Amino acid sequence: MKSPKKIVLLVVCLAFLGSSALPATQDKGQEFIEDLVKNFSLRSNNQPRLTSPATNSVVTFSLTQDNQTTSVFITDPVEWTRLSSPKPKKKRAFLEWAAVMAYSQASYWIRYSKFIEDWQYELTWEDQKRRFFTTEALRFDSNAFYLNWTHGFSGMLYYEFARSNHLSWWKSGLFSIASSLYWEYIVEWREIISINDNIMTGLGGAILGEAWYQLGRYFFNSTKPVNRYLSWLNPLLKINNWFDRSQLLSPYHHHFNPSAQDVYLFLGYRNSPTSTNPDNTGNLAFSFHSRLITDSSYGIPSKINEKFTNPFYTQFDVDLMYHGTTREEFGFNAKMVPVGRFIQNISEDRRGYSLYYGLGSTFFMYLKRPITEYDAGHLPVDKPEEFNFELPRDFRDKLAAVHIFGPVLDLTYFSSPWKLRLRAEAYPSFGMINSWPLNEYSVENDVQGMKSTLTFYGYYYGLGPALESQAEVYYNNLRLKGFTNYIYYRSIQGLDRFQSSIVDDSVLKDSRWHSGLSLDFRIPGSDLSVTGSVEWVRRWGRIHQFEDRNLEKRFYVGLKYLL
């Protein structure tokens, strides 16, 4: 039963809305009040959504938030919108960025002599004119794989300086891209302007940054104590929230509808090959996965048809596999869908559908443990005499990719207790992929004089399509899931940083097909699920007319803990 104070507040709120927001006609006004009363809550379990009954949208709003130590009562929707949409802190974002950039820049210049293999330009007008005003310096660099894919984390940090200071997602993306260009053009003034670094840092960093931001916001607003501690996984958000602690409402306040989220830790047994054993062996698997839908109306009985221009869906996954104390595999995946349309029609008995479609982007990385020094990237390409060039080569699989904006469609049918979810995605993709046939090709062929990164580190830069699909069936505490992901790359030609030294610039082709099935059972009354799955990874590649292929099978069993 509600307390007298809450009842008084409810009456006052209804009176306010009756005077300022009710439709002109009595019948529609009555319908509006009924919807409002039915969906009214004093807790922050819905985003404010105040529209005319003619739109058939659910009328909801809230007065308080769960994670505040004291309740915040806001009866004016305009005031609520103002408080929940804080002004961008551009100066603070720039100061935070400048502090980190100054340290990174000074550190890099102090250690400049360690990167002498990258020096190709002098500090003269002639050299710098060629760098800035021609395309001569626009090249793909020859750095090791680990150095190139981790640029995404730098971009993620740049993005977060802006995003955690309340700039929009697209302005934060520009912040990340501009930071990458500054580093390439100004800080690394002796070097080529790396195309791959700008893609990984600017675009890849924006995808990682938005997924990181939403994850931090999810933990920040969670009612679970363990999640509140996990919000420190995004320290910038926590620190900037402390700067804004005097505000009536936290600038990071947001309600995530719990029924629409999928955030969990996985720990279990995995039977799969290791880097030194092609036969399946026992391994320890650990994963953290998050799939967040930011619209709190998703999956709730209502009729909605509206555009969205802020991230609607984000994903942030980390996968690790250990054999004993040795890390055998490392995977990373982040997604965002920032623009599109959301359509929903769900009845009170939870029958209907939710659909969203739009443009999305993905950052993906997969790395198998290297077993040679050159595959690990510990040897410089400018000193071939120290390289101890071995034939045949012995590389392990690796891939880092940025799937640039492409169409995403997600459709869910509700028919309680059943639920069916279908998802499809397609992207143009830029990737750095290990040449799968290179090891076998090098048995009878000398690979020196091929693309720089291919010869020394086993990977090359490519473009191609990336396709993903997924189907899930829910019944009470059971969930059956199937998925398939396909990536195909063709090498990018003629832009190697040492292009003049290449004697075999042949076209390379590779594909990776990853598919699987899993079954989860959630233990009633708990946040634990028992899960088992089987997966297949098919690899194919071609050098000249030489082809090689492989099929890897994986089996998992373990526990998921929902966060």
Side-chain angles (χ1 to χ4, degrees):
M1 182 177 179
K2 290 184 173 67
S3 66
K5 289 184 178 180
K6 289 184 178 181
I7 293 174
V8 170
L9 285 169
L10 176 59
V11 172
V12 170
C13 185
L14 290 175
F16 167 77
L17 289 171
S19 64
S20 61
L22 287 179
T25 65
Q26 184 175 357
D27 291 340
K28 289 186 178 180
Q30 182 64 29
E31 180 184 347
F32 183 81
I33 291 176
E34 290 174 357
D35 282 343
L36 181 61
V37 172
K38 179 173 62 178
N39 296 284
F40 183 84
S41 171
L42 291 174
R43 300 176 66 81
S44 64
N45 56 358
N46 278 293
Q47 284 284 75
R49 185 186 297 277
L50 195 59
T51 58
S52 166
T55 64
N56 292 321
S57 294
V58 170
V59 183
T60 62
F61 75 101
S62 63
L63 299 183
T64 66
Q65 59 172 333
D66 289 327
N67 69 330
Q68 293 287 90
T69 55
T70 58
S71 296
V72 180
F73 294 92
I74 305 168
T75 58
D76 184 350
V78 175
E79 180 67 4
W80 170 270
T81 300
R82 184 185 70 82
L83 291 174
S84 59
S85 303
K87 293 182 179 180
K89 303 284 187 179
K90 296 179 182 178
K91 291 182 179 179
R92 191 168 71 191
F94 177 77
L95 288 174
E96 292 173 350
W97 171 85
V100 172
M101 182 59 75
Y103 169 80
S104 300
Q105 182 172 313
S107 176
Y108 185 77
W109 282 350
I110 290 172
R111 298 182 297 113
Y112 228 163
S113 60
K114 293 184 178 181
F115 304 97
I116 193 170
E117 71 270 17
D118 293 332
W119 292 8
Q120 290 183 240
Y121 293 92
E122 299 290 337
L123 191 59
T124 64
W125 169 246
E126 288 300 322
D127 273 19
Q128 295 305 313
K129 181 176 67 173
R130 285 164 33 226
R131 284 185 79 249
F132 276 84
F133 303 114
T134 74
T135 60
E136 175 189 306
L138 294 174
R139 291 288 184 268
F140 290 100
D141 67 36
S142 58
N143 293 333
F145 181 81
Y146 81 91
L147 188 61
N148 276 342
W149 82 262
T150 52
H151 278 79
F153 288 137
S154 298
M156 181 175 75
L157 187 62
Y158 300 149
Y159 182 95
E160 210 66 14
F161 286 134
R163 196 71 167 107
S164 65
N165 279 296
H166 325 310
L167 274 74
S168 65
W169 69 270
W170 66 269
K171 290 181 180 179
S172 301
L174 291 178
F175 203 87
S176 178
I177 293 171
S179 299
S180 178
L181 293 174
Y182 171 82
W183 186 272
E184 291 294 323
Y185 276 90
I186 305 300
V187 179
E188 295 181 338
W189 58 269
R190 292 180 181 267
E191 307 175 22
I192 64 166
I193 298 164
S194 174
I195 300 171
N196 51 282
D197 284 354
N198 280 322
I199 294 174
M200 284 289 162
T201 307
L203 298 179
I207 301 164
L208 286 164
E210 183 60 32
W212 189 31
Y213 172 76
Q214 296 295 347
L215 183 62
R217 220 166 47 140
Y218 171 78
F219 286 140
F220 181 84
N221 287 278
S222 176
T223 58
K224 294 181 179 181
V226 65
N227 287 6
R228 302 293 295 281
Y229 288 112
L230 287 173
S231 64
W232 278 102
L233 290 173
N234 190 326
L236 280 173
L237 187 146
K238 296 289 286 187
I239 292 170
N240 286 327
N241 183 72
W242 182 83
F243 287 140
D244 296 327
R245 63 192 181 280
S246 61
Q247 295 186 19
L248 183 64
L249 186 69
S250 167
Y252 307 105
H253 169 75
H254 183 80
H255 174 70
F256 291 87
N257 174 13
S259 64
Q261 317 311 325
D262 190 15
V263 183
Y264 63 86
L265 291 170
F266 169 82
L267 182 64
Y269 170 85
R270 170 175 156 176
N271 190 259
S272 64
T274 64
S275 286
T276 54
N277 187 350
D279 299 321
N280 282 18
T281 60
N283 304 285
L284 176 69
F286 173 79
S287 300
F288 169 80
H289 284 202
S290 75
R291 286 145 179 79
L292 300 176
I293 292 178
T294 61
D295 193 306
S296 58
S297 300
Y298 183 90
I300 293 177
S302 60
K303 289 184 178 180
I304 299 172
N305 188 338
E306 60 188 17
K307 294 180 181 179
F308 58 86
T309 55
N310 285 307
F312 188 93
Y313 172 87
T314 60
Q315 180 175 327
F316 195 92
D317 300 340
V318 181
D319 296 288
L320 296 164
M321 188 191 83
Y322 285 86
H323 186 71
T325 58
T326 303
R327 190 189 73 197
E328 286 289 335
E329 289 185 17
F330 178 37
F332 212 95
N333 194 20
K335 295 177 185 285
M336 69 169 176
V337 182
V339 293
R341 179 171 288 276
F342 173 40
I343 303 172
Q344 180 165 275
N345 189 351
I346 303 176
S347 62
E348 291 297 330
D349 59 354
R350 293 192 60 77
R351 294 179 182 272
Y353 67 89
S354 293
L355 165 69
Y356 69 87
Y357 60 87
L359 293 177
S361 293
T362 297
F363 177 94
F364 176 79
M365 193 284 300
Y366 169 78
L367 177 64
K368 200 94 169 179
R369 179 176 68 89
I371 61 173
T372 62
E373 286 294 303
Y374 55 83
D375 192 17
H378 295 160
L379 300 174
V381 300
D382 68 320
K383 298 179 181 179
E385 69 279 1
E386 299 179 10
F387 205 91
N388 190 25
F389 204 89
E390 298 174 4
L391 291 174
R393 311 302 274 150
D394 197 7
F395 294 106
R396 292 298 176 266
D397 205 13
K398 45 189 172 286
L399 168 64
V402 174
H403 303 339
I404 305 165
F405 281 107
V408 176
L409 184 145
D410 191 301
L411 173 64
T412 303
Y413 286 101
F414 298 88
S415 182
S416 186
W418 292 90
K419 185 169 75 171
L420 171 64
R421 187 172 184 180
L422 303 172
R423 184 179 178 89
E425 308 168 47
Y427 307 95
S429 180
F430 166 80
M432 304 182 296
I433 188 168
N434 186 77
S435 176
W436 183 256
L438 184 63
N439 291 344
E440 290 297 321
Y441 178 81
S442 66
V443 172
E444 297 183 359
N445 299 275
D446 188 352
V447 297
Q448 297 187 64
M450 300 181 77
K451 292 176 174 60
S452 300
T453 55
L454 182 73
T455 299
F456 293 98
Y457 303 123
Y459 76 93
Y460 63 91
Y461 302 102
L463 292 173
L467 308 173
E468 302 185 19
S469 62
Q470 180 179 303
E472 294 177 278
V473 179
Y474 297 76
Y475 179 76
N476 290 330
N477 291 324
L478 287 172
R479 178 170 73 166
L480 176 65
K481 174 184 174 181
F483 72 91
T484 183
N485 304 327
Y486 176 75
I487 301 176
Y488 172 88
Y489 287 115
R490 185 184 188 276
S491 60
I492 300 172
Q493 302 297 109
L495 291 173
D496 194 287
R497 84 174 306 159
F498 300 118
Q499 187 66 36
S500 60
S501 302
I502 294 178
V503 296
D504 181 5
D505 196 20
S506 55
V507 173
L508 307 168
K509 298 178 182 179
D510 273 87
S511 68
R512 185 176 191 267
W513 198 314
H514 184 197
S515 55
L517 289 169
S518 66
L519 180 64
D520 295 0
F521 172 73
R522 183 170 180 177
I523 302 172
S526 75
D527 289 327
L528 286 175
S529 296
V530 180
T531 183
S533 65
V534 56
E535 296 182 4
W536 300 267
V537 178
R538 297 175 177 86
R539 284 287 273 114
W540 169 88
R542 175 186 289 174
I543 299 177
H544 293 300
Q545 299 304 313
F546 184 88
E547 294 187 11
D548 194 17
R549 64 189 73 238
N550 182 64
L551 173 62
E552 177 183 309
K553 297 180 181 179
R554 307 170 178 175
F555 306 92
Y556 296 79
V557 63
L559 290 175
K560 288 181 179 179
Y561 175 68
L562 301 179
L563 296 169

